[in-house]
Each structure stands twice: as C-alpha cells, then as structure tokens.
C-alpha cells in the first residue's frame, strides 16, 4: 500500500480491531460483525487513505478532524500510522466517541482524541484537513464541516464511485470547489474507492489593491 508499517503499528491496528469487535457486541459500532471483514472493509480501507494524505501534507505536522467518525474510521487508523498528525474524531453518538477515547488511552495513542458533538455546533478548529467517510453528501459535508478547515486547508471525502451529481452541486454553491478526485486501490476489495478533495474558493481570491 505504498508505505511501511513497523511491527508496533501493525500490533496497534490489530489491537484496535480486537477492541472494535469486542465493543461491537454490545454497542453496535458497525454493522459488520466478522473480524476478517472488518479488517478489510474498515482497517484496510482506511489505510489506503494514509499515503494520499501524507503526499499532500508533504511530511509536515498536521491537525486532522474526522467528521462522523463512528468507531474511529479513518481517524484512529490515521493517528496510529502517523504520530505527527493530531487527529480528532467527532461524532454525535456518545458511545462511539467513548470508544475512541477508550482506544486512545488503552493503546497509548497520544495524538488521538474524540469529541462528542454535532460538528456544526463546535467552534472553528483550524484543521489542515477535515475528512469524512460515509458521512454526508459533498455539499452537506462542506456546509457542516467547512468552518473547521483553516485557510489553505482541504476537505477530503472518502467515496465509492466519483459522485458526479454531488460535485456539480458543490460547483453551483460557489463556496467550495472540487480540486481533485484520487482513485484508491484497496487490496482484496473489488468495490471502487476514491478521495474527493475540496478547497475553499475564497482562499484563492487575491486582494483587489483598492
């Protein structure tokens, strides 16, 4: 998957998966119950995002918000793989953010935190990247979470097929624009995956000089 993982990171990911399977029996964190399928559809799917974000961030420290994170996907995976990223998982369901907080403490992931809140009710957080996975349409994602992106930062949506209708709606709104669509290759997963990158049009406005 184009980036190395040492044994410690692999152990953290597998321990995170084990905790998810354990909590899932009681708290219904995900509809997928089989651990092997959880590994493929949740962990590996989230891992595919890491090299793309790392390329855009050019190896720099970063603040990342995962909106509608659920049980911490992809936020927990991002925090495990890249300790230089400060990752905050936001979800409106308290049991899900409680799980992420539990994982951060139990596995010793100091760059991972969780907030139980509706994202549109939080104070602007000044993130380099705000990412979502199966959260909302692109236009709703931008409307709800765009305020948490700092100038020059990006919204990043994990999608299946490129959502042409949603991208057109974003264009018509005129506040954000689709900067790029990056296909993702997820090993052993036949379904299509992509990342939709959006930046704020106003960030490109140059002073008039008047």
């Amino acid at each position: 998957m184009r980036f190395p993982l040492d044994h410690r990171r692999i152990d953290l990911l597998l321990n995170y998966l084990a905790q998810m399977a354990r909590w899932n029996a009681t708290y219904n964190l995900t509809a997928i119950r089989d651990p092997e399928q959880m590994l493929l559809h949740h962990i590996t799917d989230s891992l595919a995002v890491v090299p793309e974000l790392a390329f855009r961030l050019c190896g720099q420290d970063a603040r990342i918000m995962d909106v509608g994170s659920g049980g911490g996907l992809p936020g927990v995976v991002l925090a495990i793989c890249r300790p230089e990223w400060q990752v905050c998982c936001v979800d409106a369901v308290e049991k899900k953010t409680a799980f992420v907080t539990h994982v951060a403490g139990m596995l010793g992931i100091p760059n991972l935190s969780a907030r139980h809140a509706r994202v549109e009710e939080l104070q602007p957080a000044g993130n380099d990247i705000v990412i979502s996975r199966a959260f909302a349409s692109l236009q709703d994602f931008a409307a709800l979470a765009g305020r948490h992106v700092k100038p020059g930062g990006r919204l990043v949506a994990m999608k299946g097929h490129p959502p042409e209708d949603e991208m057109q709606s974003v264009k018509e709104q005129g506040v954000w624009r689709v900067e790029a669509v990056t296909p993702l290759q997820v090993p052993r997963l036949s379904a299509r995956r992509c990342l939709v990158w959006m930046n704020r049009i106003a960030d490109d406005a140059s002073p008039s000089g008047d």
Side-chain angles (χ1 to χ4, degrees):
M1 299 184 71
R2 296 194 290 118
F3 69 100
L5 278 177
D6 58 29
H7 290 297
R8 180 174 179 273
R9 307 273 171 225
I10 293 171
D11 286 344
L12 285 172
L13 290 169
L14 292 177
N15 285 330
Y16 166 50
L17 177 63
Q19 288 298 310
M20 185 185 297
R22 180 181 175 187
W23 277 55
N24 205 39
T26 304
Y27 295 103
N28 194 31
L29 298 174
T30 170
I32 299 176
R33 300 290 180 178
D34 177 64
E36 185 173 345
Q37 291 301 310
M38 291 168 68
L39 177 64
L40 175 60
H41 289 275
H42 291 329
I43 305 299
T44 307
D45 192 48
S46 297
L47 281 171
V49 176
V50 177
E52 301 300 336
L53 298 187
F55 176 76
R56 294 287 182 132
L57 291 168
C58 302
Q60 299 178 351
D61 296 350
R63 290 174 57 88
I64 297 176
M65 179 181 284
D66 176 12
V67 175
S69 183
L73 298 161
V76 174
V77 174
L78 301 182
I80 287 173
C81 292
R82 302 299 297 237
E84 73 273 22
W85 297 346
Q86 295 296 320
V87 181
C88 180
C89 296
V90 177
D91 202 277
V93 180
E94 187 172 11
K95 64 185 178 183
K96 295 181 178 180
T97 55
F99 170 69
V100 174
T101 300
H102 162 76
V103 166
M106 181 179 184
L107 300 185
I109 311 173
N111 59 318
L112 175 66
S113 62
R115 293 287 303 274
H116 168 226
R118 300 182 67 86
V119 67
E120 66 270 24
E121 296 174 356
L122 292 173
Q123 291 296 313
N127 290 278
D128 298 277
I129 286 176
V130 176
I131 192 167
S132 71
R133 179 180 186 260
F135 170 65
S137 66
L138 293 179
Q139 57 269 35
D140 288 345
F141 178 35
L144 294 171
R147 62 205 298 266
H148 299 294
V149 179
K150 75 177 188 181
R154 295 178 174 92
L155 287 168
V156 184
M158 297 173 66
K159 293 286 185 177
H161 290 264
E164 300 293 344
D165 291 345
E166 294 179 21
M167 291 191 288
Q168 181 60 34
S169 294
V170 170
K171 182 178 180 180
E172 292 170 358
Q173 285 182 346
V175 179
W176 292 81
R177 68 178 178 188
V178 175
E179 176 187 4
V181 179
T182 305
L184 296 177
Q185 299 296 325
V186 183
R188 297 177 53 213
L189 191 65
S190 58
R192 291 182 65 184
R193 292 286 190 270
C194 71
L195 289 180
V196 181
W197 302 81
M198 295 188 289
N199 61 7
R200 193 181 284 108
I201 291 174
D203 287 349
D204 294 333
S206 57
S208 63
D210 296 337

